Amino acid sequence: MAIEDILAFADDRLVICDGIEQLRHAIETIKSWCSESNIQLNPLKFSIVEMLPRWKKLVLQVGSFVNTIPLVESYKYLGLILDMKLTGEP
C-alpha cells in the first residue's frame, strides 16, 4: 500500500486497497499502530465498502466481516456518502 492510498483529515482515515489481502494487511497495520500508540479505536466507526467497476463481480458479501470490520453497502465519510457504485447519493 502506498502512502498516497491513505487519506486523512483530523482523526478520520480512508484506506484504499487493491485486494482482500492488502485490506487485511492494512487493517492489522492500523490496529497494531493504534495499540502501540495507546489509541483506542471505536469499532462502531469503521466499515468496509467494496467498490468495483460494473463488469467485475463483488468479492465480499454485504453483512460479512474482514478482521472484525463489517462490509456495508454505503458509509458516510466526512459528509460524503461512499457506496459500492460511487453515486454519492444517500
Side-chain angles (χ1 to χ4, degrees):
M1 176 177 1
I3 193 69
E4 297 85 23
D5 294 336
I6 300 176
L7 309 174
F9 180 80
D11 62 347
D12 292 302
R13 302 286 180 268
L14 175 68
V15 179
I16 300 170
C17 298
D18 287 331
I20 188 74
E21 289 310 314
Q22 189 181 43
L23 174 62
R24 284 188 176 112
H25 179 71
I27 292 167
E28 288 307 314
T29 300
I30 291 165
K31 285 182 174 183
S32 175
W33 182 85
C34 287
S35 177
E36 291 168 10
S37 303
N38 289 324
I39 295 173
Q40 240 179 349
L41 295 171
N42 183 344
L44 300 175
K45 291 192 172 187
F46 314 31
S47 291
I48 298 166
V49 177
E50 185 174 20
M51 300 170 198
L52 295 171
R54 288 184 204 162
W55 63 89
K56 286 199 172 184
K57 201 173 186 181
L58 293 175
V59 175
L60 304 170
Q61 183 177 4
V62 171
S64 64
F65 293 81
V66 176
N67 295 28
T68 72
I69 300 175
L71 182 75
V72 297
E73 287 185 25
S74 64
Y75 187 80
K76 189 172 186 178
Y77 178 73
L78 298 177
L80 176 67
I81 303 295
L82 299 174
D83 64 18
M84 297 170 127
K85 296 180 182 179
L86 290 176
T87 64
E89 298 174 5

